[in-house]
Amino acid sequence: MPERLEITQDCLNPPLEQSIEYDKPHEECGVVGIIKRKETENIAQRIGDGLQTIQHRGQEAAGVAVGVGTDKVMALKDVGLVAIALGGNKLSGLPKGKVAVGHVRYGTIDTHTPEEAFEAAGPSLAEGSKGTIAIGLNGNLLNINDLVAEFGVDADEHVTDCSAATAAVAAAREHCDSLAEAAVMVFSKAKEAFTVVVMGEGQLIGIRDPFGFRPLMLGTYPNDGGYAMASETPALKTMGASYRREISRGEMVVCDQDGTLTSSYPFQEKPSKLCAFEFIYFSAPHAQLEGRSIKKVRTEMGRILAAEHPVEADIVVGVPESGLPAAEGYSLASGIPLVAAFAKNRYIGRTFIIPGQESREDGVERKLQVIGSEVYMKRLVLIDDSMIRGTTSKKIVAMLLEEGALEVHLRLTSAPYKWPCFYGMDTRKPEELIANQIPDLRELKEYLGVTSLAYLSLAGLRAATADAAGKLCTACMDGNYPTPIYFSEGKATNRPPK
């Protein structure tokens, strides 16, 4: 039987804190995995280190699962940041092992009760006659109800897509010759998006959906003959592995404890549609994606933004952290000095979202403060990566003006975010998107209180990311969804209306 934590009072009543990240898009998860040829006492700690490196991909819950032999799993999970959920000596309670997976999750307080938030923490576990399996999933399965029903699983009994899909794989395993075959049976029927790490029967399996919406990296342990997987390249390094390559869209990689790696492409080929926001916001600046430095791409976005939307100003200011590389690029291209005008409190963590605009605005000042001497009597270009709901941008502009800034020219390194995402981000309500609410730029400028407002064009985005072939998914900015999207009872689905 898998071991799990008891729900404590702290789990049910976590501290509520709102941060500047509220006004950003959020992925729902980040995943890591390790398999070694020899049992390692610190394998759980290695997974924890990897999860801390991708903490920005999910800040509501974290968990680690370690394989014991080939049929048992012991897991530790909790709500909160990795340092809270898995910190201290908690991971030392997990056994040494050869294989382990980890998961960080993003979720909002208006979609889960505190009890459900605990249950939603990954990795998800399921038992079968061949043993226990653990799965970490990054994405959103549009057809989850139909998918799991086919395998005799009641979706209503599961809080997350990951939990339901894990139960489906366990059910499919009863009729398949291998865990890999069962995973293919389930995920070949899944409607995107999904990046998955699967642990069970002494194996580590990585799967990336045929569109490749979300990244998954493969690393090696040359001295051991083992392998590692992670949502981003820096996590591989943190876990002590060497980067080998990206797992390709539609690929399944099966790693065994004897050092064997098998690659196959069991899914129907689809056009490449990596999420553009991996370059704009999600990935860490020191990450590599499709052979390109994220920081260099964002710096190039700033350069192009300066060429597309020049302005006379005294200083360029970037909103920490993801706006800083683009601000550097804007400064280099325009010749306007780059100034660090914000002090960010790095010790205010993000837990659950406080509902209500007043609480959201108060949270911005707790997280970010203006260095008044740097902006007083200055005309400034404010660089940020995106604007989703608009509340944070409006507050930051007001803070700058209160400190004596003469003009604030807002420049964003994404096109207007007008359409909700159904491929693993949390923006599924069109009415929450400020570019939808106020489509006229003049009205939006007045609402924000800025002197001028401009976005990077889609052409500029594609130039900065070397995407001349249109391989990035930009559905949230242009409405061109790569898969059919329908709505039924207020929810998105891939099933057309009857």
Side-chain angles (χ1 to χ4, degrees), residues 206-230:
I207 301 173
R208 192 175 176 194
D209 74 56
F211 286 100
F213 285 106
R214 305 289 160 204
L216 187 59
M217 308 299 172
L218 178 66
T220 61
Y221 293 98
N223 296 331
D224 175 83
Y227 299 94
M229 299 176 188

PDB file of all heavy atoms in Angstrom, residues 206-230:
ATOM      1  N   GLY A 206       8.530   8.407 -19.981  1.00  0.00           N
ATOM      2  CA  GLY A 206       8.198   9.775 -20.308  1.00  0.00           C
ATOM      3  C   GLY A 206       7.416   9.843 -21.599  1.00  0.00           C
ATOM      4  O   GLY A 206       7.770   9.168 -22.579  1.00  0.00           O
ATOM      5  N   ILE A 207       6.339  10.636 -21.622  1.00  0.00           N
ATOM      6  CA  ILE A 207       5.477  10.750 -22.803  1.00  0.00           C
ATOM      7  C   ILE A 207       5.188  12.222 -23.058  1.00  0.00           C
ATOM      8  O   ILE A 207       4.878  12.970 -22.132  1.00  0.00           O
ATOM      9  CB  ILE A 207       4.146   9.991 -22.612  1.00  0.00           C
ATOM     10  CG1 ILE A 207       4.397   8.505 -22.349  1.00  0.00           C
ATOM     11  CG2 ILE A 207       3.246  10.159 -23.839  1.00  0.00           C
ATOM     12  CD1 ILE A 207       3.134   7.730 -21.992  1.00  0.00           C
ATOM     13  N   ARG A 208       5.273  12.615 -24.314  1.00  0.00           N
ATOM     14  CA  ARG A 208       4.926  13.980 -24.715  1.00  0.00           C
ATOM     15  C   ARG A 208       3.879  13.902 -25.813  1.00  0.00           C
ATOM     16  O   ARG A 208       4.019  13.128 -26.769  1.00  0.00           O
ATOM     17  CB  ARG A 208       6.172  14.707 -25.218  1.00  0.00           C
ATOM     18  CG  ARG A 208       5.989  16.206 -25.387  1.00  0.00           C
ATOM     19  CD  ARG A 208       7.301  16.856 -25.759  1.00  0.00           C
ATOM     20  NE  ARG A 208       7.121  18.278 -26.028  1.00  0.00           N
ATOM     21  CZ  ARG A 208       8.029  19.038 -26.626  1.00  0.00           C
ATOM     22  NH1 ARG A 208       9.189  18.508 -26.991  1.00  0.00           N
ATOM     23  NH2 ARG A 208       7.786  20.318 -26.848  1.00  0.00           N
ATOM     24  N   ASP A 209       2.814  14.687 -25.707  1.00  0.00           N
ATOM     25  CA  ASP A 209       1.700  14.552 -26.647  1.00  0.00           C
ATOM     26  C   ASP A 209       2.134  14.900 -28.077  1.00  0.00           C
ATOM     27  O   ASP A 209       3.170  15.533 -28.300  1.00  0.00           O
ATOM     28  CB  ASP A 209       0.505  15.401 -26.201  1.00  0.00           C
ATOM     29  CG  ASP A 209       0.692  16.893 -26.421  1.00  0.00           C
ATOM     30  OD1 ASP A 209       0.950  17.310 -27.548  1.00  0.00           O
ATOM     31  OD2 ASP A 209       0.553  17.655 -25.445  1.00  0.00           O
ATOM     32  N   PRO A 210       1.351  14.470 -29.060  1.00  0.00           N
ATOM     33  CA  PRO A 210       1.745  14.628 -30.466  1.00  0.00           C
ATOM     34  C   PRO A 210       1.918  16.069 -30.928  1.00  0.00           C
ATOM     35  O   PRO A 210       2.593  16.310 -31.937  1.00  0.00           O
ATOM     36  CB  PRO A 210       0.613  13.940 -31.233  1.00  0.00           C
ATOM     37  CG  PRO A 210       0.024  12.971 -30.272  1.00  0.00           C
ATOM     38  CD  PRO A 210       0.128  13.637 -28.943  1.00  0.00           C
ATOM     39  N   PHE A 211       1.286  17.037 -30.239  1.00  0.00           N
ATOM     40  CA  PHE A 211       1.479  18.442 -30.583  1.00  0.00           C
ATOM     41  C   PHE A 211       2.704  19.043 -29.893  1.00  0.00           C
ATOM     42  O   PHE A 211       3.196  20.091 -30.304  1.00  0.00           O
ATOM     43  CB  PHE A 211       0.251  19.271 -30.186  1.00  0.00           C
ATOM     44  CG  PHE A 211      -0.938  19.067 -31.082  1.00  0.00           C
ATOM     45  CD1 PHE A 211      -1.976  18.225 -30.696  1.00  0.00           C
ATOM     46  CD2 PHE A 211      -1.033  19.711 -32.304  1.00  0.00           C
ATOM     47  CE1 PHE A 211      -3.079  18.044 -31.509  1.00  0.00           C
ATOM     48  CE2 PHE A 211      -2.141  19.537 -33.123  1.00  0.00           C
ATOM     49  CZ  PHE A 211      -3.166  18.700 -32.731  1.00  0.00           C
ATOM     50  N   GLY A 212       3.150  18.411 -28.816  1.00  0.00           N
ATOM     51  CA  GLY A 212       4.289  18.935 -28.071  1.00  0.00           C
ATOM     52  C   GLY A 212       4.001  20.249 -27.379  1.00  0.00           C
ATOM     53  O   GLY A 212       4.863  21.130 -27.332  1.00  0.00           O
ATOM     54  N   PHE A 213       2.800  20.411 -26.820  1.00  0.00           N
ATOM     55  CA  PHE A 213       2.423  21.667 -26.169  1.00  0.00           C
ATOM     56  C   PHE A 213       3.383  22.043 -25.045  1.00  0.00           C
ATOM     57  O   PHE A 213       3.727  23.213 -24.875  1.00  0.00           O
ATOM     58  CB  PHE A 213       1.009  21.575 -25.591  1.00  0.00           C
ATOM     59  CG  PHE A 213      -0.087  21.645 -26.607  1.00  0.00           C
ATOM     60  CD1 PHE A 213      -0.809  20.526 -26.967  1.00  0.00           C
ATOM     61  CD2 PHE A 213      -0.400  22.857 -27.205  1.00  0.00           C
ATOM     62  CE1 PHE A 213      -1.835  20.602 -27.898  1.00  0.00           C
ATOM     63  CE2 PHE A 213      -1.417  22.944 -28.142  1.00  0.00           C
ATOM     64  CZ  PHE A 213      -2.137  21.814 -28.493  1.00  0.00           C
ATOM     65  N   ARG A 214       3.779  21.061 -24.249  1.00  0.00           N
ATOM     66  CA  ARG A 214       4.636  21.302 -23.094  1.00  0.00           C
ATOM     67  C   ARG A 214       5.962  20.560 -23.264  1.00  0.00           C
ATOM     68  O   ARG A 214       6.000  19.461 -23.805  1.00  0.00           O
ATOM     69  CB  ARG A 214       3.950  20.810 -21.818  1.00  0.00           C
ATOM     70  CG  ARG A 214       2.582  21.398 -21.610  1.00  0.00           C
ATOM     71  CD  ARG A 214       2.638  22.855 -21.238  1.00  0.00           C
ATOM     72  NE  ARG A 214       1.357  23.517 -21.492  1.00  0.00           N
ATOM     73  CZ  ARG A 214       1.219  24.808 -21.695  1.00  0.00           C
ATOM     74  NH1 ARG A 214       2.280  25.585 -21.703  1.00  0.00           N
ATOM     75  NH2 ARG A 214       0.032  25.328 -21.912  1.00  0.00           N
ATOM     76  N   PRO A 215       7.065  21.130 -22.771  1.00  0.00           N
ATOM     77  CA  PRO A 215       8.366  20.482 -22.952  1.00  0.00           C
ATOM     78  C   PRO A 215       8.603  19.354 -21.960  1.00  0.00           C
ATOM     79  O   PRO A 215       8.014  19.313 -20.881  1.00  0.00           O
ATOM     80  CB  PRO A 215       9.344  21.633 -22.705  1.00  0.00           C
ATOM     81  CG  PRO A 215       8.613  22.554 -21.768  1.00  0.00           C
ATOM     82  CD  PRO A 215       7.150  22.449 -22.137  1.00  0.00           C
ATOM     83  N   LEU A 216       9.477  18.447 -22.331  1.00  0.00           N
ATOM     84  CA  LEU A 216       9.962  17.396 -21.439  1.00  0.00           C
ATOM     85  C   LEU A 216      11.394  17.068 -21.845  1.00  0.00           C
ATOM     86  O   LEU A 216      11.656  16.757 -23.002  1.00  0.00           O
ATOM     87  CB  LEU A 216       9.086  16.144 -21.516  1.00  0.00           C
ATOM     88  CG  LEU A 216       9.409  15.038 -20.496  1.00  0.00           C
ATOM     89  CD1 LEU A 216       9.275  15.549 -19.066  1.00  0.00           C
ATOM     90  CD2 LEU A 216       8.517  13.816 -20.709  1.00  0.00           C
ATOM     91  N   MET A 217      12.307  17.177 -20.894  1.00  0.00           N
ATOM     92  CA  MET A 217      13.732  17.019 -21.164  1.00  0.00           C
ATOM     93  C   MET A 217      14.242  15.688 -20.640  1.00  0.00           C
ATOM     94  O   MET A 217      13.785  15.199 -19.608  1.00  0.00           O
ATOM     95  CB  MET A 217      14.514  18.156 -20.494  1.00  0.00           C
ATOM     96  CG  MET A 217      14.000  19.546 -20.824  1.00  0.00           C
ATOM     97  SD  MET A 217      14.096  19.894 -22.600  1.00  0.00           S
ATOM     98  CE  MET A 217      13.224  21.468 -22.679  1.00  0.00           C
ATOM     99  N   LEU A 218      15.226  15.143 -21.344  1.00  0.00           N
ATOM    100  CA  LEU A 218      15.849  13.874 -20.969  1.00  0.00           C
ATOM    101  C   LEU A 218      17.298  14.126 -20.596  1.00  0.00           C
ATOM    102  O   LEU A 218      18.035  14.793 -21.325  1.00  0.00           O
ATOM    103  CB  LEU A 218      15.772  12.884 -22.128  1.00  0.00           C
ATOM    104  CG  LEU A 218      16.438  11.517 -21.910  1.00  0.00           C
ATOM    105  CD1 LEU A 218      15.713  10.726 -20.829  1.00  0.00           C
ATOM    106  CD2 LEU A 218      16.478  10.734 -23.220  1.00  0.00           C
ATOM    107  N   GLY A 219      17.712  13.590 -19.443  1.00  0.00           N
ATOM    108  CA  GLY A 219      19.093  13.697 -19.000  1.00  0.00           C
ATOM    109  C   GLY A 219      19.656  12.336 -18.676  1.00  0.00           C
ATOM    110  O   GLY A 219      18.932  11.340 -18.596  1.00  0.00           O
ATOM    111  N   THR A 220      20.978  12.284 -18.491  1.00  0.00           N
ATOM    112  CA  THR A 220      21.641  11.018 -18.188  1.00  0.00           C
ATOM    113  C   THR A 220      22.556  11.177 -16.979  1.00  0.00           C
ATOM    114  O   THR A 220      23.003  12.269 -16.643  1.00  0.00           O
ATOM    115  CB  THR A 220      22.489  10.533 -19.383  1.00  0.00           C
ATOM    116  OG1 THR A 220      23.506  11.518 -19.662  1.00  0.00           O
ATOM    117  CG2 THR A 220      21.629  10.326 -20.607  1.00  0.00           C
ATOM    118  N   TYR A 221      22.831  10.030 -16.348  1.00  0.00           N
ATOM    119  CA  TYR A 221      23.843   9.931 -15.305  1.00  0.00           C
ATOM    120  C   TYR A 221      24.962   9.060 -15.870  1.00  0.00           C
ATOM    121  O   TYR A 221      24.925   7.826 -15.740  1.00  0.00           O
ATOM    122  CB  TYR A 221      23.254   9.306 -14.042  1.00  0.00           C
ATOM    123  CG  TYR A 221      22.222  10.168 -13.358  1.00  0.00           C
ATOM    124  CD1 TYR A 221      20.859   9.964 -13.565  1.00  0.00           C
ATOM    125  CD2 TYR A 221      22.609  11.187 -12.492  1.00  0.00           C
ATOM    126  CE1 TYR A 221      19.913  10.758 -12.936  1.00  0.00           C
ATOM    127  CE2 TYR A 221      21.665  11.984 -11.857  1.00  0.00           C
ATOM    128  CZ  TYR A 221      20.327  11.765 -12.090  1.00  0.00           C
ATOM    129  OH  TYR A 221      19.391  12.548 -11.462  1.00  0.00           O
ATOM    130  N   PRO A 222      25.951   9.657 -16.507  1.00  0.00           N
ATOM    131  CA  PRO A 222      26.978   8.877 -17.219  1.00  0.00           C
ATOM    132  C   PRO A 222      27.708   7.872 -16.338  1.00  0.00           C
ATOM    133  O   PRO A 222      28.056   6.774 -16.795  1.00  0.00           O
ATOM    134  CB  PRO A 222      27.935   9.955 -17.733  1.00  0.00           C
ATOM    135  CG  PRO A 222      27.114  11.194 -17.808  1.00  0.00           C
ATOM    136  CD  PRO A 222      26.158  11.106 -16.665  1.00  0.00           C
ATOM    137  N   ASN A 223      27.946   8.220 -15.074  1.00  0.00           N
ATOM    138  CA  ASN A 223      28.685   7.321 -14.189  1.00  0.00           C
ATOM    139  C   ASN A 223      27.846   6.164 -13.683  1.00  0.00           C
ATOM    140  O   ASN A 223      28.387   5.158 -13.210  1.00  0.00           O
ATOM    141  CB  ASN A 223      29.247   8.101 -12.995  1.00  0.00           C
ATOM    142  CG  ASN A 223      30.262   9.140 -13.409  1.00  0.00           C
ATOM    143  OD1 ASN A 223      30.947   8.979 -14.421  1.00  0.00           O
ATOM    144  ND2 ASN A 223      30.364  10.208 -12.626  1.00  0.00           N
ATOM    145  N   ASP A 224      26.543   6.311 -13.767  1.00  0.00           N
ATOM    146  CA  ASP A 224      25.636   5.297 -13.230  1.00  0.00           C
ATOM    147  C   ASP A 224      24.896   4.540 -14.319  1.00  0.00           C
ATOM    148  O   ASP A 224      24.457   3.416 -14.121  1.00  0.00           O
ATOM    149  CB  ASP A 224      24.636   5.978 -12.283  1.00  0.00           C
ATOM    150  CG  ASP A 224      23.562   5.022 -11.772  1.00  0.00           C
ATOM    151  OD1 ASP A 224      23.824   4.301 -10.798  1.00  0.00           O
ATOM    152  OD2 ASP A 224      22.466   5.002 -12.382  1.00  0.00           O
ATOM    153  N   GLY A 225      24.733   5.175 -15.479  1.00  0.00           N
ATOM    154  CA  GLY A 225      23.943   4.564 -16.538  1.00  0.00           C
ATOM    155  C   GLY A 225      22.464   4.831 -16.381  1.00  0.00           C
ATOM    156  O   GLY A 225      21.637   4.226 -17.071  1.00  0.00           O
ATOM    157  N   GLY A 226      22.104   5.758 -15.477  1.00  0.00           N
ATOM    158  CA  GLY A 226      20.706   6.070 -15.252  1.00  0.00           C
ATOM    159  C   GLY A 226      20.248   7.252 -16.076  1.00  0.00           C
ATOM    160  O   GLY A 226      20.996   7.830 -16.878  1.00  0.00           O
ATOM    161  N   TYR A 227      18.972   7.620 -15.868  1.00  0.00           N
ATOM    162  CA  TYR A 227      18.354   8.694 -16.653  1.00  0.00           C
ATOM    163  C   TYR A 227      17.533   9.596 -15.744  1.00  0.00           C
ATOM    164  O   TYR A 227      17.122   9.205 -14.651  1.00  0.00           O
ATOM    165  CB  TYR A 227      17.452   8.110 -17.746  1.00  0.00           C
ATOM    166  CG  TYR A 227      18.190   7.238 -18.734  1.00  0.00           C
ATOM    167  CD1 TYR A 227      18.255   5.857 -18.554  1.00  0.00           C
ATOM    168  CD2 TYR A 227      18.832   7.803 -19.834  1.00  0.00           C
ATOM    169  CE1 TYR A 227      18.943   5.058 -19.448  1.00  0.00           C
ATOM    170  CE2 TYR A 227      19.518   7.012 -20.741  1.00  0.00           C
ATOM    171  CZ  TYR A 227      19.574   5.647 -20.540  1.00  0.00           C
ATOM    172  OH  TYR A 227      20.261   4.860 -21.431  1.00  0.00           O
ATOM    173  N   ALA A 228      17.297  10.808 -16.236  1.00  0.00           N
ATOM    174  CA  ALA A 228      16.435  11.757 -15.543  1.00  0.00           C
ATOM    175  C   ALA A 228      15.541  12.439 -16.554  1.00  0.00           C
ATOM    176  O   ALA A 228      15.892  12.552 -17.735  1.00  0.00           O
ATOM    177  CB  ALA A 228      17.270  12.795 -14.786  1.00  0.00           C
ATOM    178  N   MET A 229      14.380  12.898 -16.098  1.00  0.00           N
ATOM    179  CA  MET A 229      13.444  13.649 -16.926  1.00  0.00           C
ATOM    180  C   MET A 229      12.967  14.858 -16.141  1.00  0.00           C
ATOM    181  O   MET A 229      12.855  14.798 -14.917  1.00  0.00           O
ATOM    182  CB  MET A 229      12.245  12.791 -17.330  1.00  0.00           C
ATOM    183  CG  MET A 229      12.584  11.575 -18.151  1.00  0.00           C
ATOM    184  SD  MET A 229      11.122  10.555 -18.501  1.00  0.00           S
ATOM    185  CE  MET A 229      11.910   9.108 -19.247  1.00  0.00           C
ATOM    186  N   ALA A 230      12.689  15.946 -16.857  1.00  0.00           N
ATOM    187  CA  ALA A 230      12.221  17.154 -16.182  1.00  0.00           C
ATOM    188  C   ALA A 230      11.542  18.068 -17.180  1.00  0.00           C
ATOM    189  O   ALA A 230      11.817  18.021 -18.385  1.00  0.00           O
ATOM    190  CB  ALA A 230      13.378  17.882 -15.505  1.00  0.00           C
TER     191      ALA A 230
END
